[in-house]
Amino acid sequence: MKYQVTHITRYEYQQRASLCHNLVYQVPVDHSFQEVKKINYQIHPEPRLLATREDFFGNKFIYFSIEEFHRKLSVEIKSNVEIAEPVWIKANPKDTMPWENVVIWLRSAEADNDIRQFYLESAHIRFIDEIRDYTLQSFTPGKPIMEAMLDLNSRIFNDFDFTPGFTDTSTRVEDVFMHKKGVCQDFAHFSLACLRSIGLAARYVSGYIETIPPPGKPKLFGADASHAWIALYIPEIGWTEFDATNNLLVNDRHVRTAFGRDFADVTPLKGIVYSGAGQRMIVNVDVRRVE
């Protein structure tokens, strides 16, 4: 599958800003089944400094600074990517290792520290007894890890309501669990809390997913949004991705941009701005299939 992804972020300041420094995590990267064909970006006003860098996890990001007075900021990232079918699509969930054996393996000398770091708590992930109990309803004794994860994915999809505006980036995972409401970021964080609370390694993945318009209706530009899901480490397969928001084993409709311990590591656009008042942010995303 070939896609063109356009992500536009605009800021409007109530008073002129004199300086801003920003990090942009909206750049798709090459993966075993994702190839980046082209990336273009436009930033207005023109940055004084601009560089492409790589973080601790291997994600590519853009750093830029604007050192002049401005009332508006616009960042447009346009990329063309080609997605192949991931290897886990053809895996038999029943053939994977019992999940308790994976927990034991992760604590052995055989497991790499690059994997082990993802079974710890992080900024948005806390270990809570009630969440662990919820998880163990899917991860029953001796159950193959992939089969258990698919069951947990389905339960989150059915038990939680997708409710835009109910949460924000500061909402705690225990509040998401209490109210059973949120958006893709919340469901990803909850999935991570579930898995790490029983000793498994799982990481946060950010990116995009193609959305299909209703039959007979044209696709509207900007109708898509940034998306989030998780990757669970399964020794026989590697990092295997699950999307609880849509009850999916991630497929060739997902475009990856970055991964980390949670949202705090891969916020799409973050930084500091020197301005004497508030600001308004407008985001438009379009994921368009290319023939």
Side-chain angles (χ1 to χ4, degrees):
M1 304 298 290
K2 298 178 181 180
Y3 298 101
Q4 181 179 83
V5 181
T6 305
H7 189 138
I8 303 172
T9 307
R10 296 186 179 92
Y11 283 95
E12 298 177 354
Y13 306 114
Q14 293 179 9
Q15 295 183 8
R16 291 194 305 169
S18 59
L19 174 68
C20 71
H21 295 272
N22 293 277
L23 304 179
V24 184
Y25 279 86
Q26 299 167 11
V27 183
V29 294
D30 288 335
H31 195 279
S32 58
F33 39 81
Q34 174 172 292
E35 183 179 357
V36 180
K37 298 294 187 180
K38 182 171 64 175
I39 295 177
N40 292 313
Y41 45 86
Q42 296 182 345
I43 302 172
H44 298 287
E46 185 174 347
R48 173 69 176 80
L49 297 172
L50 187 149
T52 301
R53 297 175 178 170
E54 188 172 292
D55 70 6
F56 171 81
F57 301 107
N59 301 311
K60 290 184 179 179
F61 67 93
I62 300 169
Y63 161 77
F64 71 89
S65 68
I66 295 175
E67 303 175 12
E68 63 180 73
F69 284 103
H70 57 286
R71 292 290 295 268
K72 297 181 179 181
L73 170 64
S74 174
V75 179
E76 178 178 328
I77 311 293
K78 183 174 289 187
S79 52
N80 288 70
V81 298
E82 186 170 334
I83 312 293
E85 184 179 78
V87 295
W88 54 74
I89 293 294
K90 295 180 180 178
N92 185 344
K94 295 183 181 296
D95 291 340
T96 55
M97 188 184 297
W99 70 270
E100 302 99 327
N101 291 6
V102 179
V103 173
I104 295 170
W105 175 82
L106 284 168
R107 280 152 179 76
S108 71
E110 295 180 30
D112 193 285
N113 285 334
D114 287 342
I115 301 170
R116 288 151 58 94
Q117 67 179 320
F118 292 104
Y119 67 57
L120 304 172
E121 290 185 308
S122 57
H124 290 280
I125 308 303
R126 295 179 59 235
F127 296 163
I128 299 164
D129 289 341
E130 291 79 7
I131 292 179
R132 184 176 186 275
D133 292 341
Y134 180 91
T135 310
L136 291 175
Q137 294 177 45
S138 293
F139 285 77
T140 52
K143 197 167 188 177
I145 183 172
M146 188 173 181
E147 186 179 13
M149 182 61 222
L150 288 169
D151 184 74
L152 177 65
N153 215 45
S154 179
R155 287 176 54 226
I156 294 172
F157 175 78
N158 288 304
D159 292 347
F160 290 68
D161 292 327
F162 187 85
T163 312
F166 183 77
T167 58
D168 58 31
T169 57
S170 65
T171 302
R172 301 180 306 168
V173 69
E174 52 263 47
D175 293 329
V176 174
F177 182 46
M178 178 187 300
H179 297 286
K180 302 291 193 300
K181 294 180 180 180
V183 292
C184 58
Q185 171 192 299
D186 303 303
F187 302 156
H189 282 158
F190 181 73
S191 298
L192 294 178
C194 287
L195 296 167
R196 294 184 194 170
S197 71
I198 61 172
L200 294 171
R203 63 192 190 184
Y204 184 97
V205 185
S206 67
Y208 310 97
I209 182 173
E210 180 194 27
T211 56
I212 307 297
K217 299 291 184 180
K219 181 169 181 174
L220 301 177
F221 181 87
D224 299 303
S226 296
H227 193 42
W229 57 95
I230 66 103
L232 170 66
Y233 194 82
I234 300 176
E236 301 97 321
I237 304 172
W239 290 107
T240 306
E241 300 178 11
F242 300 84
D243 180 351
T245 304
N246 298 290
N247 193 21
L248 289 175
L249 188 59
V250 166
N251 52 43
D252 57 6
R253 288 174 53 200
H254 291 71
V255 179
R256 295 148 200 81
T257 54
F259 69 88
R261 293 163 297 182
D262 56 40
F263 174 80
D265 288 331
V266 293
T267 306
L269 177 59
K270 59 184 176 181
I272 58 172
V273 58
Y274 290 88
S275 177
Q279 62 189 25
R280 184 167 74 104
M281 181 179 71
I282 304 168
V283 178
N284 292 106
V285 174
D286 184 64
V287 181
R288 190 170 299 274
R289 190 177 300 189
V290 179
E291 298 300 332

